Amino acid sequence: MKDTKICVIGLGYVGLPLARLFSTKYSTVGFDMNQKRCDALMAGHDATLEVSDELLQDAINNHGFVCTSDIEKIRDCNFYIVAVPTPVDEDNNPDLTPLVGASTTVGKVISKGDVVVYESTVYPGVTEDECIPVVEKVSGLKMNVDFYGGYSPERINPGDKQHTVEHIKKVTSGSTPEIGKYINEVYSSVITAGTHLAPTIKVAEAAKVIENSQRDINIAFVNELSKIFNKMGIDTLDVLEAAGTKWNFLPFRPGLVGGHCIGVDPYYLAQCAKRYSYNPEIILAGRRMNDGMGEYVAIETIKLMLKKGIQVLHSDILILGFTFKENCPDVRNTKVIDIYKALKEYNLNIIVYDPWANPAIVEPEYGIKVNNELPAQKFDACIAAVAHKKFEGLDVLGLLKDKHVVFDVKCTLDRELVDGRL
């Protein structure tokens, strides 16, 4: 283990924190195709804010951590970890393009005796049936003869400074029992929360993909409850608080479901099921429910405006928050965009205010403008979409016209201020 030299491929929300952590024990190189990303990291700053400047600079200055886009600088590594995104396409089909690209990179540099471990979320079978064959083809080597494989699903929680990578138990697996133990030892040497060695790679893949699918289904259930209770004039949060007094009631709350995991992983599981001639019902029903919540929020806001006699056409609407979750700059698969698009159909003037979101990332990706500062104007309606701590203490009423509507997606505003909420 002391001769292990690690290369983490993909320096995003998952790869960078992991690479930084490994650098405290092993010679570690971070590889990313984005040269600007590498340059920024080597200058000591992580734009995702997952790794603090202090920790990153310590890794670079005191542990020899290097970030590079030069493939030659990772050729002498012997433990490759792939941590690239696994998105879905416009039809919600898994897009394995980043994984194929990363596997090609590994195939160009891997040598006999080396190990490649995948962390990207996939459905069971992708590592051995889709990724490893690419490595074999490019390298001319064979798994379990010349090199070895493994899978250890990522468990990063963006924006969470308490449950950081070393404090979340890690699942590991290997292409042989012996390699599984070796991979587990490498990870357990830096993961203070401990590890769980799964019996096979497919078991580890399946464990990851059901973690977020389970959360997705539970959130879909309370989202449906919210719609039902709203029609009945019952406050959903009151119901959940009352039901939560039972010891085994699960504390899920309604909301928008976006991001790189919960809003994506169920589609990977569904795709896998269909390959085995099984049509998943509950999984996709949950996805349909959650994917429709942005439009639901928009329509409910419009209804409330009409009930109050507020002119909808060309009215001024403020959306508070755009990131997919609170207190982080991550805008991947944010469902706030669904609120925005649905409102736009009514020819409204919409301002999105989010001090966390980077306008230079949002505009090319979503085609809309995000403001990091509040504009000096009054609004007809406000939708509190993301519960950033920076919004605490915000004088919401001071932003609104005398006749107005407030819709609270996250149930964080005073009830007296709110006209509607999930």
Side-chain angles (χ1 to χ4, degrees):
M1 275 174 54
K2 65 181 180 179
D3 297 322
T4 299
K5 184 169 183 180
I6 293 174
C7 169
V8 177
I9 297 175
L11 297 176
Y13 283 86
V14 173
L16 180 65
L18 185 69
R20 196 286 310 172
L21 179 62
F22 271 125
S23 73
T24 63
K25 289 284 184 75
Y26 305 94
S27 174
T28 304
V29 178
F31 179 85
D32 198 288
M33 296 293 289
N34 188 335
Q35 182 62 51
K36 290 184 178 179
R37 171 71 170 159
C38 294
D39 291 342
L41 293 175
M42 290 306 293
H45 178 67
D46 169 29
T48 70
L49 305 181
E50 287 303 301
V51 176
S52 68
D53 291 356
E54 181 182 4
L55 284 177
L56 180 57
Q57 290 165 17
D58 174 69
I60 294 170
N61 297 328
N62 299 324
H63 299 288
F65 177 52
V66 174
C67 301
T68 183
S69 60
D70 184 355
I71 194 171
E72 293 304 317
K73 292 184 179 179
I74 66 173
R75 193 174 292 279
D76 61 342
C77 295
N78 52 34
F79 195 101
Y80 296 92
I81 300 174
V82 174
V84 297
T86 44
V88 292
D89 61 21
E90 293 181 355
D91 297 319
N92 292 320
N93 294 314
D95 181 4
L96 301 180
T97 304
L99 271 178
V100 171
S103 299
T104 300
T105 297
V106 172
K108 292 177 180 178
V109 295
I110 199 167
S111 301
K112 288 189 176 182
D114 291 355
V115 174
V116 54
V117 179
Y118 289 84
E119 289 226 357
S120 306
T121 300
V122 293
Y123 52 81
V126 169
T127 298
E128 294 162 292
D129 301 337
E130 304 289 344
C131 298
I132 293 299
V134 174
V135 177
E136 291 178 327
K137 181 178 180 180
V138 175
S139 67
L141 305 176
K142 290 294 181 182
M143 186 173 75
N144 293 338
V145 175
D146 304 304
F147 72 93
Y148 303 91
Y151 184 78
S152 180
E154 60 90 0
R155 278 181 169 170
I156 295 292
N157 189 26
D160 190 337
K161 302 308 177 187
Q162 181 179 359
H163 300 96
T164 52
V165 59
E166 65 267 37
H167 297 130
I168 303 175
K169 194 164 188 176
K170 205 82 161 64
V171 174
T172 61
S173 64
S175 55
T176 70
E178 294 75 21
I179 289 301
K181 291 178 182 178
Y182 168 58
I183 291 172
N184 191 66
E185 287 175 0
V186 172
Y187 275 93
S188 64
S189 68
V190 295
I191 303 294
T192 57
T195 57
H196 172 85
L197 178 57
T200 66
I201 288 175
K202 286 186 176 65
V203 167
E205 291 170 322
K208 171 57 183 176
V209 81
I210 71 165
E211 289 174 16
N212 290 316
S213 297
Q214 181 188 67
R215 285 186 56 79
D216 192 47
I217 292 168
N218 278 304
I219 296 171
F221 172 62
V222 293
N223 274 337
E224 186 164 52
L225 292 180
S226 176
K227 289 184 175 183
I228 295 169
F229 294 144
N230 182 49
K231 288 183 175 294
M232 299 173 68
I234 300 174
D235 190 292
T236 305
L237 189 57
D238 286 343
V239 176
L240 294 177
E241 287 177 349
T245 58
K246 188 181 180 186
W247 77 94
N248 61 351
F249 185 80
L250 301 178
F252 288 92
R253 293 176 65 167
L256 305 176
V257 183
H260 67 298
C261 285
I262 301 179
V264 173
D265 295 357
Y267 289 121
Y268 276 74
L269 185 55
Q271 176 75 8
C272 179
K274 290 177 179 178
R275 289 190 172 198
Y276 286 86
S277 301
Y278 182 84
N279 186 41
E281 297 181 16
I282 295 176
I283 295 169
L284 291 180
R287 275 286 76 232
R288 286 192 295 271
M289 173 61 64
N290 289 339
D291 275 348
M293 290 308 292
E295 182 180 18
Y296 174 77
V297 168
I299 292 174
E300 288 301 303
T301 302
I302 296 297
K303 287 180 180 178
L304 290 168
M305 293 174 69
L306 292 172
K307 287 180 180 179
K308 281 195 171 185
I310 299 174
Q311 172 66 41
V312 173
L313 186 65
H314 302 310
S315 60
D316 298 312
I317 311 294
L318 174 65
I319 298 178
L320 294 176
F322 189 77
T323 59
F324 94 87
K325 66 180 295 187
E326 64 275 7
N327 309 317
C328 80
D330 195 348
V331 297
R332 292 174 297 171
N333 195 32
T334 175
K335 293 304 177 182
V336 181
I337 189 63
D338 294 345
I339 299 176
Y340 183 96
K341 288 180 177 179
L343 289 174
K344 264 299 182 183
E345 294 183 8
Y346 294 87
N347 291 324
L348 308 179
N349 303 315
I350 306 170
I351 296 293
V352 180
Y353 167 55
D354 193 323
W356 279 95
N358 185 343
I361 294 176
V362 172
E363 190 161 4
E365 179 68 21
Y366 295 100
I368 72 168
K369 180 181 179 182
V370 169
N371 297 271
N372 292 142
E373 301 290 339
L374 264 173
Q377 70 176 90
K378 299 286 187 177
F379 296 91
D380 296 291
C382 172
I383 299 175
V386 185
H388 292 315
K389 286 184 178 179
K390 293 181 180 180
F391 292 155
E392 293 179 2
L394 184 66
D395 181 14
V396 176
L397 283 181
L399 302 171
L400 299 169
K401 299 175 184 178
D402 291 337
K403 187 184 289 187
H404 61 260
V405 163
V406 176
F407 195 98
D408 187 6
V409 174
K410 299 292 290 185
C411 299
T412 56
L413 300 178
D414 291 340
R415 294 193 185 194
E416 294 76 16
L417 301 178
V418 173
D419 298 283
R421 64 182 190 175
L422 292 183

